[in-house]
Amino acid sequence: MHRYSCLVVASLALVLSDTQSQSSSPQPSLKDAYQGCFMVGAALNAAQFTGQDQAEDAIIKAQFNSVSPENVLKWEIVHPRPNEFNFSLADKYVEFGEQNHMFMIGHNLVWHSQVPKWVFEDNNAQPASRKVLLERMRHHIHTVVGRYKGRISGWDVVNEALNDDGTLRQSPWLKIIGDDYIEKAFRYAHEADPQAQLYYNDYSLENEAKRKGALALASTLKAKGVPITGVGLQDHVNLDSPTTDQIDATITEFGKLSLKVMITELDVDVLPSSPHTADVSLSLASDPKLNPYPDGLPDAVQQALAKRYADLFRTYSEHCGLVTRVTFWGVTDKDSWKNDWPIRGRTNYPLLFDRNGQPKPAFDAVIQVAPKRAP
Ligand code: XIL
């Protein structure tokens, strides 16, 4: 039998045996196909984990064994004002993850985006002092991580601290606290939940200069005994960039530092003029020429997307075990942030499930390249 057919049959048998008492689905699952290699996750929006989106709910339960919160654990949502925490949505996210026995990620604790202005200011709207900001950071991390201690298994502690050239981003965190804000964030998170895995997460780490900066940062943290467990490569990628060789080399280099490597925000942008970055502050003018597929993806692009996904998963699975998780940034094309970034209102096709929740050729391609397991 052809190797791919073998795999599909094996995956099917697994799905059937796992769900004997439930109605069985003929569709293979990502989590089963990659079992023993890495977890497969998805970032969820509130409609998905509060049960408002039943169709997507079914996909999530069938396909993934890890979840990340797309927005609900970001500072502006959980801690909108100095003495006000709002955990209503975050609690629902965690309940959903627990009910479905999923490995849960907390995203994120310290970032320059989606954080209210007051965090960096004193009572006179002047920059806060180092002491005040460190105490705010400690209080935020202890409260949020502490609330979900033993339930959320891994945290993106620091998100996007680097510039494209590998130097530290001049964020308010850096300007007010200084270089050691990163190590402080990790230490506070570790105090709040000593068992939690703690990650540094960023985009474009495949690019030489930024990768060098991240490797230097991670090795300095390790040398100082800072409790960092892993590095998240966001992998908001395009059809042709970065190359799988770059991705392969990046995973290998972080592995040499004895860090776990995770692909944390995977999607593949198929639209023209998509920049090689995931800088959320970028906003470009809309232009119909830059939205060429409003009514559907041409077959040639669909096939190119499937090939790109096959190449990506082949590369990731060459590092089974070192890569511990691959998480998609969304479930279906309908709810991807890529429809609105960096240009609002486009029709993008970055994920494995289409707008109706149907698996795309890219889904089959990802299943097909999964490592073959002994029967
Ligand atoms: C994005 C969300 O998907 C959007 O809904 C939100 O409006 C902006 O942020 N890198 C990250 C994620 O670490 O938190 C970002 O998520 C995408 C880029």
Side-chain angles (χ1 to χ4, degrees):
M1 200 188 288
H2 190 277
R3 133 165 217 260
Y4 294 156
S5 323
C6 250
L7 180 84
V8 171
V9 171
S11 311
L12 251 176
L14 262 167
V15 169
L16 292 176
S17 67
D18 282 357
T19 56
Q20 261 164 4
S21 56
Q22 302 161 18
S23 66
S24 55
S25 145
Q27 204 176 80
S29 85
L30 297 165
K31 64 181 174 186
D32 288 334
Y34 285 88
Q35 195 164 34
C37 188
F38 43 66
M39 292 178 281
V40 186
L44 306 186
N45 61 38
Q48 290 160 338
F49 60 74
T50 55
Q52 284 170 51
D53 196 330
Q54 288 296 329
E56 300 218 354
D57 194 68
I59 300 174
I60 296 158
K61 289 175 181 164
Q63 295 293 332
F64 302 107
N65 49 16
S66 175
V67 284
S68 300
E70 186 176 1
N71 285 299
V72 301
L73 269 166
K74 289 175 180 172
W75 194 310
E76 67 181 7
I77 302 209
V78 286
H79 195 176
R81 277 166 285 278
N83 288 312
E84 187 184 320
F85 284 88
N86 181 352
F87 289 114
S88 50
L89 285 171
D91 284 354
K92 292 210 167 68
Y93 161 73
V94 172
E95 280 159 27
F96 179 91
E98 269 177 350
Q99 277 162 10
N100 295 294
H101 313 289
M102 289 170 167
F103 185 92
M104 264 182 282
I105 302 302
H107 173 86
N108 55 55
L109 297 169
V110 174
W111 191 23
H112 61 275
S113 185
Q114 294 182 272
V115 53
K117 256 172 64 188
W118 64 261
V119 174
F120 306 111
E121 291 178 350
D122 66 13
N123 294 336
N124 304 316
Q126 294 303 305
S129 66
R130 166 180 160 93
K131 189 161 170 254
V132 164
L133 187 54
L134 271 177
E135 176 48 28
R136 256 176 212 157
M137 183 207 266
R138 195 197 65 79
H139 178 230
H140 176 83
I141 291 177
H142 273 244
T143 308
V144 179
V145 175
R147 184 177 182 91
Y148 302 114
K149 183 176 175 180
R151 301 170 75 195
I152 288 186
S153 306
W155 284 93
D156 290 334
V157 178
V158 176
N159 201 34
E160 304 179 353
L162 293 165
N163 293 314
D164 286 339
D165 67 1
T167 58
L168 285 178
R169 183 191 288 270
Q170 290 294 312
S171 70
W173 296 109
L174 181 80
K175 285 187 192 151
I176 297 173
I177 297 176
D179 292 15
D180 62 342
Y181 86 88
I182 298 175
E183 102 176 52
K184 294 281 189 200
F186 278 92
R187 293 197 195 280
Y188 297 152
H190 187 64
E191 283 163 16
D193 186 353
Q195 302 304 322
Q197 297 186 10
L198 305 179
Y199 317 127
Y200 175 72
N201 191 51
D202 212 332
Y203 59 85
S204 298
L205 294 183
E206 292 78 10
N207 295 343
E208 180 89 25
K210 193 161 182 180
R211 184 201 310 170
K212 277 195 177 148
L215 286 165
L217 173 65
S219 49
T220 306
L221 293 174
K222 294 276 286 186
K224 286 183 169 174
V226 174
I228 175 172
T229 334
V231 166
L233 313 180
Q234 292 186 4
D235 277 12
H236 294 291
V237 302
N238 294 345
L239 280 172
D240 57 359
S241 166
T243 64
T244 45
D245 282 352
Q246 283 174 286
I247 295 175
D248 180 68
T250 308
I251 295 170
T252 303
E253 289 297 311
F254 282 106
K256 286 186 195 155
L257 297 179
S258 304
L259 289 167
K260 295 179 196 298
V261 179
M262 277 133 267
I263 311 303
T264 53
E265 305 187 13
L266 178 61
D267 47 27
V268 179
D269 197 320
V270 300
L271 298 183
S273 288
S274 291
H276 297 174
T277 175
D279 184 345
V280 285
S281 66
L282 192 70
S283 174
L284 306 175
S286 84
D287 173 346
K289 282 205 286 300
L290 300 179
N291 188 27
Y293 317 126
D295 304 320
L297 198 58
D299 193 52
V301 190
Q302 191 77 267
Q303 296 312 323
L305 180 69
K307 178 172 184 318
R308 175 65 160 156
Y309 262 115
D311 291 345
L312 289 169
F313 272 78
R314 220 181 273 115
T315 306
Y316 300 150
S317 51
E318 276 161 14
H319 297 278
C320 278
L322 166 55
V323 171
T324 57
R325 170 171 58 92
V326 176
T327 292
F328 293 87
W329 205 244
V331 178
T332 74
D333 288 341
K334 164 168 72 83
D335 35 52
S336 166
W337 77 302
K338 284 285 184 162
N339 294 306
D340 288 305
W341 182 92
I343 299 174
R344 294 197 71 81
R346 294 198 297 177
T347 307
N348 213 333
Y349 301 83
L351 296 166
L352 299 188
F353 294 90
D354 71 16
R355 286 175 162 69
N356 300 317
Q358 294 306 307
K360 295 156 61 175
F363 173 88
D364 300 327
V366 168
I367 294 284
Q368 283 176 3
V369 299
K372 232 168 52 186
R373 279 182 292 153

